[in-house]
Amino acid sequence: MRTLLLGALLLTAACGDVGAGRQCTAIGALVGLDVDVELTTVETGRIEVCWDDRCVTPELHLSPSSKTVGETCTGDAPDSVCGASAVPTGGKNAYVPVPDLPAKPVTVALKLVDEAGATVVDERLTVTPKMVEPNGPGCGTGGPQAGVVVAPDGSVRER
């Protein structure tokens, strides 16, 4: 009987609230790299990610970037109505899934070209993917992610 009670107690503790007083969801996190291109002349590109004598070349699908502007509210009550607009920035962005991406330094080779097909960025840099907690602190990790930013002048840095 004691074994049964001890087992029930351990099972209850294992299934309880992992997030220190809050419920944790089962939301996962994509494993990969965020690419943010502020250089407005970029049309398309190619990315390669390498670690441990292994390289992958996932597809880089760049989409137009936007930012939120003009947030206005009718009041400050919980049921007040607010509005905002998405405005194009001229830049582009992509999320590049890399399923086996490790949480340690990797080499990223990024080549970007303009509308005429001329290379405007050809850089290689080291980034360190970090484990993310998609449900907040204390609710477990979802996988490693890293980011690369291409500034308006074409310089490349880790996010």
Side-chain angles (χ1 to χ4, degrees), residues 9-97:
L9 180 61
L10 288 175
L11 182 60
T12 303
C15 294
D17 229 9
V18 195
R22 68 181 176 276
Q23 292 292 323
C24 294
T25 65
I27 294 174
L30 292 174
V31 175
L33 301 170
D34 178 50
V35 179
D36 188 14
V37 180
E38 298 170 356
L39 179 61
T40 59
T41 59
V42 169
E43 185 64 27
T44 188
R46 180 176 186 270
I47 190 166
E48 180 182 69
V49 185
C50 300
W51 68 93
D52 294 338
D53 297 324
R54 175 179 179 212
C55 293
V56 295
T57 309
E59 289 193 45
L60 179 64
H61 294 287
L62 293 170
S63 300
S65 296
S66 62
K67 65 179 179 179
T68 305
V69 296
E71 185 173 335
T72 57
C73 295
T74 60
D76 56 5
D79 60 349
S80 295
V81 177
C82 296
S85 299
V87 177
T89 65
K92 297 199 175 181
N93 66 80
Y95 192 82
V96 182

Side-chain angles (χ1 to χ4, degrees), residues 40-44 112-120:
T40 59
T41 59
V42 169
E43 185 64 27
T44 188
L112 302 174
V113 297
D114 64 14
E115 196 173 272
T119 300
V120 292

